[in-house]
Amino acid sequence: MKHSTTQQTRRGRGPARRIGRTLAFVLPVVLVLSGTLAVTRVNWSGNPSNSVLTAADAATASGASSRAVRRAPQDVLRDTLLTELQERDPGVALTHLQQAVHDRPSLTSHCVSIARALGRAAVRVYGPTRAQAYSRPVCDTSFASGVAAAHR
């Protein structure tokens, strides 16, 4: 009886080996390119001004884009409500914030920051005691926390 001690393997032909070779080639290339891009974003001059020219800045500088830059809806809403707070009172601004979040659910994630900004602005305009009187449970009482943060 003859016993065979050697087994033949498919060395070098399996899918894992092909994937390993591909990663061994591609991964260093990706790392070098991402490192190069990261280094180009660093301000090496020491000048605190923003010296990095982005693609949007380049398009504007070359005159390719003549349209005004569009602002995010939450920024427009925040500015509108802050103006309303100064012209009328914080109660009206909070009511309009609640209506805007109800009408546009995409603004829900920004409701807390807008309400806090309104609270801080109300303290500047009305003082801490009067501003706190306008507090209501809009966006988990974030208006009240903005009043408290501005009062410290």
Side-chain angles (χ1 to χ4, degrees), residues 14-74:
R17 179 113 172 149
R18 274 195 308 269
I19 291 171
R21 283 185 177 178
T22 302
L23 282 176
F25 176 73
V26 172
L27 192 59
V29 173
V30 169
L31 291 174
V32 167
L33 288 177
S34 64
T36 303
L37 293 174
V39 169
T40 60
R41 298 286 302 178
V42 174
N43 183 1
W44 294 101
S45 68
N47 188 1
S49 68
N50 188 4
S51 62
V52 177
L53 183 66
T54 62
D57 296 335
T60 305
S62 67
S65 174
S66 61
R67 289 188 328 198
V69 177
R70 296 184 73 180
R71 295 179 56 209
Q74 66 269 14

Side-chain angles (χ1 to χ4, degrees), residues 68-88:
V69 177
R70 296 184 73 180
R71 295 179 56 209
Q74 66 269 14
D75 295 335
V76 172
L77 178 63
R78 179 181 293 116
D79 292 346
T80 303
L81 293 175
L82 287 172
T83 303
E84 198 168 76
L85 180 135
Q86 292 176 355
E87 292 175 355
R88 294 184 184 174

Side-chain angles (χ1 to χ4, degrees), residues 3 5 20 53 62 91 96 109 112 115 131 136:
H3 293 296
T5 58
L53 183 66
S62 67
H96 288 156
S109 61
V112 170
R136 61 175 78 159

